[in-house]
Amino acid sequence: FDQTAKNARQGLYYFNSVWSEIVRIGSKYFPMLLLLTAPFLSISLGLVQRRSRLPRINHFIFSLHYTAFVELLMICIYALHLMIAPPMSVLECIMIVGSCSYLTVAFRRVYAVTWIGAIAKSLLTSLIYFIILFAIFLVIFLIACFIIATNIN
């Protein structure tokens, strides 16, 4: 029983170390990594808006604009978390609903599509974008695990 408790404490220590390393790396590099996702968002916009008569550079400008909005939303949510400290699930919901709603309105205005088309295209684009963000978070997690593993030995 003592060995099991010791292993559990060691596992909890390892998890806390990994999580603190993720927060440290993420807070330092995530805004830059988020900016690097703009070309991928531009490609996904080009795929979703294949029949658009707008030049391809407009998709990139739109993706930079949307990325800036997402970063501003993240800053506001972080400030809200520091001031009120609501549960993280509420903040995640605000982030997802806010970014999808903004993207829907932006699609409607920039690409002049119907509301149904704007909703469908924004959901598809958001899905692609959040998959890219998840991949970035996974890379940060793996880097944090590697840093912790090299520091333990």
Side-chain angles (χ1 to χ4, degrees), residues 1 20 30 41 63 71 74-75 115 117 120-121 123 141 151:
F1 181 73
S20 64
F30 192 74
L41 181 60
S63 68
E71 287 193 20
M74 288 172 53
I75 290 170
W115 281 107
K121 289 179 180 185
L123 288 175
F141 175 76
N151 287 340

Side-chain angles (χ1 to χ4, degrees), residues 104-147:
T104 301
V105 172
F107 257 111
R108 173 94 168 110
R109 293 196 61 173
V110 172
Y111 295 109
V113 294
T114 64
W115 281 107
I116 303 284
I119 291 169
K121 289 179 180 185
S122 68
L123 288 175
L124 181 62
T125 306
S126 294
L127 177 69
I128 294 168
Y129 191 57
F130 285 124
I131 287 172
I132 292 169
L133 291 180
F134 177 76
I136 288 172
F137 181 75
L138 185 63
V139 167
I140 290 173
F141 175 76
L142 293 175
I143 291 170
C145 288
F146 177 75
I147 289 171

